[in-house]
Structure formats: structure tokens, C-alpha cells
Amino acid sequence: MSAGASDLPLYRSIAADIQTAIERGDFAGGATMPSENELTARYGVSRGTIRQAFAFLRSTGVVSSRRGARRQVRSGPKVQSMTELVSFSRWARGLGETPSSRTLGAASVPASGAVADKLGVAEGANVFHVERVRLLGAAPMMLESTYYPESLAPLIAAIDLDAESITDRLADHGIVFADAEHAIDAVAATPREAEMLGLAPGAPLLRTVRRTTDPVGEVLECSIDLYAGEAVAFVVRNSLAAGATSRVSSR
């Protein structure tokens, strides 16, 4: 990492670099982190800066520490950063995991009101729906329900949905997923959702509703994704420079 390559304070840049290494799988859950001396030499900074970086990582739950012991990576859910837009497959590979899918259905369906609004089509218009269980290794991680404009149906129908990333294969055709808006909340698993994810009915799920556009603002997908609640944690980074984080509460 080159110090000064970011507008963040130096300790935050170092913390981000360490967290990226953790998310990439360089350190397993429970692994001992390098010592302060090792990291001061690696980054060419003072021990105080390294301590600030670790204090930040501890405050966000990435590492743990106790007096007289080396800091450790917290064991727990897989961390997914919401700072950058990456596909499930690319995120999984970044963790050192093998992504796969079990396709439950892929067909043209009439758009419900909510889906039509997200995709910018008339209610009842045909859209292409793909439903898959996404896995890390053999473990079900997420139930994915994605709706695409009907114009993309021939391209998606030609993809091996159990083995390939839709995002990556569409990119081969010059269709780029550039920007996304996410809404995140918590829901209880229905009996069907629980069965698909290997959970008990009523188990907590993290739900994300995502609307993704290409570089010129054309809508490419609306996806409703349900993550096993204890398996995944989302990390959102923000700053005063970027404006206030929006939080909407349902009533």
C-alpha cells in the first residue's frame, strides 16, 4: 500500500488495507494478526499510527484484543463490503471460497407493481426472473430472486446459471453493472425460505433489495436477496465528505 494514495487519514488507509486482506482471506477467523513492530516496518509509520488503525478495526468489530495478547481476527459471519459493487461470485472468490448456485427457476413473468417500479416498466409487462440458492462451498448462503428487463432474457437463458456469474457473463457482452442502490432490512424466514437455506422457519434473514444500472443509467436488474442472518455481515463506510448516510425506518 502506498501511504498518501488516499484522502483518508493515514491510520484509516492502513486499517482499510488490513481489512481488505482479511476479507480476501489472508487471515482466517481467530488468526493472530502481525505485531505492531511488523506492521510499522511494513507501512513505514509509527507504532502510534498502527495502534490507531487497530483501534478503528476493533471499533468496527473486525479484530479483537485483550491486554497482554496479540490482536486476532474475529470469527463470525462473512463480511461483505457495500463500498464497492461486486458480484456474489467475485466476493466469494475474494474470500477464498468456491461460489456456486442451485437454480430454482428462470422464466419470463409479469412484473408486479414493486418490480415494475424498480425496473421502470409497466406493471404486468414481461420481465425475466431468475431464482437461485447461492452457496459458498456446500453451504447455502443466500436466496437470490432477480428480475431483468425482458431484452436481456436471451443472453441470460444461455448462461449456465448453476456454475457461472450472470454479472460476469453479461460483461462479456459489454453490459456493465455500474451503480446500485441497496435497501437493507431484517425479516423472518418463511418455511420455504428456511428450507432453501437449511434454517429453521422464522430464523433471522438479512434482506437486500437492489436496483442496478449501467454507466448511462439504464436499469439492468432488481434483486431481492435473502442472506442467512448469522452467516453474513455488511460493512458500510461513510464520511462527512460523502454526506450523511440515509436510514429509513418502516412504520
Side-chain angles (χ1 to χ4, degrees):
M1 188 194 90
S2 60
S6 168
D7 292 332
L8 290 173
L10 185 54
Y11 80 90
R12 287 284 302 277
S13 295
I14 292 171
D17 196 55
I18 294 171
Q19 179 162 339
T20 297
I22 291 170
E23 292 174 356
R24 192 170 56 232
D26 292 359
F27 305 100
T32 300
M33 296 296 297
S35 69
E36 289 179 4
N37 287 339
E38 291 175 90
L39 291 173
T40 56
R42 179 184 302 178
Y43 291 106
V45 297
S46 68
R47 291 183 68 178
T49 300
I50 295 300
R51 287 172 181 168
Q52 282 183 293
F54 272 127
F56 178 78
L57 291 169
R58 187 171 61 250
S59 73
T60 56
V62 175
V63 301
S64 62
S65 63
R66 54 188 174 85
R67 189 178 298 275
R70 291 271 288 273
R71 298 171 180 88
Q72 292 184 321
V73 180
R74 285 188 183 274
S75 299
K78 304 292 186 183
V79 175
Q80 181 170 359
S81 172
M82 303 297 277
T83 308
E84 57 182 343
L85 182 59
V86 296
S87 68
F88 177 89
S89 296
R90 189 166 299 179
W91 168 68
R93 289 193 293 267
L95 294 173
E97 300 278 1
T98 301
S100 62
S101 304
R102 186 168 69 248
T103 303
L104 304 176
S108 293
V109 298
S112 67
V115 169
D117 182 63
K118 290 288 185 184
L119 291 180
V121 300
E123 184 173 355
N126 278 350
V127 294
F128 196 70
H129 179 224
V130 175
E131 187 179 32
R132 299 186 289 179
V133 177
R134 308 304 302 273
L135 303 98
L136 295 184
M141 188 67 53
M142 184 248 285
L143 180 60
E144 175 189 79
S145 181
T146 309
Y147 299 85
Y148 300 91
E150 184 70 5
S151 59
L152 296 181
L155 293 177
I156 297 171
I159 296 171
D160 182 347
L161 297 174
D162 283 352
E164 297 184 293
S165 164
I166 294 175
T167 303
D168 291 347
R169 295 291 71 77
L170 290 181
D172 294 340
H173 295 274
I175 299 167
V176 178
F177 289 68
D179 297 284
E181 177 185 273
H182 304 259
I184 305 171
D185 62 359
V187 297
T190 65
R192 178 179 181 271
E193 293 162 354
E195 181 182 359
M196 295 297 101
L197 292 171
L199 303 172
L205 303 176
L206 279 174
R207 177 173 62 185
T208 70
V209 180
R210 183 180 68 253
R211 178 179 180 269
T212 311
T213 57
D214 69 9
V216 297
E218 291 293 325
V219 182
L220 296 177
E221 67 169 6
C222 162
S223 194
I224 303 166
D225 301 335
L226 297 170
Y227 292 83
E230 296 182 355
V232 175
F234 297 120
V235 173
V236 180
R237 298 184 182 90
N238 54 70
S239 68
L240 290 175
T245 298
S246 173
R247 180 174 63 192
V248 179
S249 68
S250 55
R251 300 183 180 181

